[in-house]
Amino acid sequence: MKSVSIPAARTTPPGRAARGMRPLLAAALLALLAACGEDHIKRYPQTTFVPETEMAREQMFLFNLTMWMGIVVGVLTFAGMGYIMWKFRYRPGMPEPKQIHGNTKLEVAWTLLPALIVAVIAVFTVRAIFITQPEPPANALNVRVIGKQWWWEFQYPVGNDTIITANEIHVPINQPVQLLLESDNVLHSFWVPQMAGKRDLITNRVNRLIFTPTVPGVYMGQCAEFCGDSHALMKMRLIAHTPEGFRQWLENEARPALEPTDSTSAVALGKKLVTQGACAGCHVIEGTPMVGRLGPNLTHFGRRRTLAAGIVENNAENLAKWVRNPPAMKPGALMPPQGKAAGGNLTDEQVQYIVAYLQSLQ
């Protein structure tokens, strides 16, 4: 019988295999480094990893504690499994392993160790509950927050008056802020990640959220509980001012809307359309006959950075689109289309007059 020779399998030299892995390791390291630094705050402004209040820092500490304890447990578990798989791997000629029926010390250890880990997490969790549910300090700024479909109303009691704004909540730094959270429709959830964790807004109940901002800036937030068609478009901005900056903002908000100086200007024509048209049935502009409360207060609308609850920049182009056909930008919006092309009564020229007036409301 003729013998057949089988060529030996080719193997990659160890050095070459290691060199082939270097580009992959380098790419993985670069990807890891790319996640570091402050650039991710610009790309992901609703980050929880840059806390700016005592509540957010406590929640971040609890998250890190749980994560690192989980990492340690995972590393020890997989290291032990790896050692066992290597130590007791099959080898030709080796005898059958010794049969055992339990090890009391090991069983006690892997029962007590997880219990100890859970106990540590429980202690810090209870501590976090008390830190994140404090009694309101005497010097706290009280802001009433009402969740709408799909926008936010913020009310500031000042003496015997109440300043009302929408979708942008302004607070001072280094002063406790108490938010009194409620809903006049369905369940919502207030969430500005860098300030604090989520807190529900429930009909016929007032929840509280207390925190102290420390760094001036604009912080992104949104509703975190599904509340209908435009839930994902129910955004907001929290603007943290210096104490002097907040005082100036509050004083300006307390003033009525400015009157147009020229009765024939686009602003004056827009005011007439707004205050004597369909807008008056749903909106308030202090200093005018408008008393509607279904929609946002528009007294100082021109100062707001965004419109439609934070989904687009507040500029002339976006505002004109919104006035013409709100549901096209925000599905389910209660404001009906106003432009003639969308079934309303306003011409494009009239829409531009309205835009001019609303942007003048500083």
Side-chain angles (χ1 to χ4, degrees):
M1 183 175 181
K2 186 177 180 181
S3 62
V4 179
S5 61
I6 301 176
R10 295 183 179 180
T11 58
T12 303
R16 186 180 299 174
R19 287 194 297 271
M21 291 294 292
R22 288 174 185 171
L24 296 176
L25 293 174
L29 181 60
L30 287 174
L32 182 63
L33 292 175
C36 302
E38 297 186 358
D39 185 59
H40 78 282
I41 301 177
K42 297 178 181 178
R43 289 184 291 160
Y44 309 106
Q46 289 183 220
T47 179
T48 59
F49 293 101
V50 188
E52 298 293 359
T53 68
E54 76 292 347
M55 177 184 283
R57 283 188 285 271
E58 179 64 22
Q59 291 171 329
M60 194 71 242
F61 168 78
L62 188 60
F63 170 83
N64 286 332
L65 173 69
T66 307
M67 179 187 69
W68 284 111
M69 292 185 78
I71 289 174
V72 170
V73 170
V75 168
L76 292 177
T77 300
F78 285 109
M81 289 173 61
Y83 170 77
I84 292 171
M85 292 170 66
W86 174 261
K87 175 73 174 178
F88 301 103
R89 70 190 187 280
Y90 172 77
R91 283 168 288 191
M94 67 182 301
E96 183 177 343
K98 180 183 177 182
Q99 301 300 305
I100 58 175
H101 301 281
N103 185 304
T104 302
K105 292 181 180 178
L106 279 177
E107 291 171 2
V108 170
W110 65 49
T111 300
L112 290 181
L113 187 58
L116 179 62
I117 293 172
V118 172
V120 171
I121 294 175
V123 168
F124 285 100
T125 299
V126 172
R127 186 188 78 156
I129 290 173
F130 283 98
I131 291 176
T132 57
Q133 300 277 357
E135 289 298 317
N139 65 332
L141 170 70
N142 293 315
V143 183
R144 185 182 178 201
V145 181
I146 304 176
K148 308 281 187 175
Q149 283 187 299
W150 289 269
W151 55 282
W152 304 89
E153 182 171 279
F154 302 110
Q155 300 182 4
Y156 298 77
V158 180
N160 295 324
D161 199 5
T162 300
I163 293 172
I164 301 176
T165 186
N167 301 319
E168 292 182 0
I169 177 171
H170 294 252
V171 297
I173 62 170
N174 301 325
Q175 178 183 351
V177 176
Q178 176 179 222
L179 304 183
L180 303 172
L181 307 166
E182 54 189 288
S183 171
D184 68 357
N185 48 86
V186 299
L187 183 70
H188 299 284
S189 183
F190 185 93
W191 189 36
V192 181
Q194 290 184 259
M195 294 291 110
K198 304 169 185 176
R199 194 64 54 87
D200 285 348
L201 290 77
I202 304 170
T203 307
N204 298 323
R205 176 185 174 88
V206 178
N207 276 345
R208 296 185 300 121
L209 186 60
I210 300 172
F211 55 86
T212 304
T214 57
V215 179
V218 179
Y219 301 93
M220 304 289 290
Q222 70 176 71
C223 178
E225 184 78 33
F226 181 72
C227 54
D229 293 349
S230 284
H231 156 69
L233 302 178
M234 188 175 171
K235 300 180 182 294
M236 73 184 105
R237 302 286 192 282
L238 185 146
I239 296 93
H241 298 270
T242 62
E244 177 61 21
F246 178 73
R247 184 187 64 79
Q248 292 176 359
W249 175 84
L250 206 59
E251 288 178 353
N252 186 80
E253 291 294 308
R255 301 188 186 103
L258 295 176
E259 284 288 326
T261 56
D262 183 355
S263 61
T264 61
S265 67
V267 172
L269 295 174
K271 178 183 177 181
K272 185 176 180 179
L273 288 167
V274 170
T275 59
Q276 299 179 17
C279 305
C282 297
H283 297 280
V284 173
I285 297 180
E286 300 292 342
T288 74
M290 297 174 61
V291 293
R293 290 304 308 275
L294 184 61
N297 187 305
L298 301 178
T299 304
H300 297 286
F301 174 82
R303 290 171 60 89
R304 296 174 193 164
R305 292 168 170 81
T306 61
L307 59 89
I311 64 174
V312 292
E313 182 183 351
N314 184 6
N315 57 39
E317 181 182 357
N318 289 333
L319 182 54
K321 290 180 180 178
W322 176 258
V323 172
R324 289 190 189 101
N325 192 358
M329 297 178 67
K330 195 164 193 174
L334 297 181
M335 179 175 168
Q338 302 298 315
K340 282 192 173 182
N345 298 317
L346 299 176
T347 65
D348 284 346
E349 185 178 30
Q350 289 174 321
V351 169
Q352 293 304 322
Y353 291 156
I354 290 175
V355 168
Y357 173 61
L358 292 178
Q359 290 199 311
S360 75
L361 298 176
Q362 301 288 328

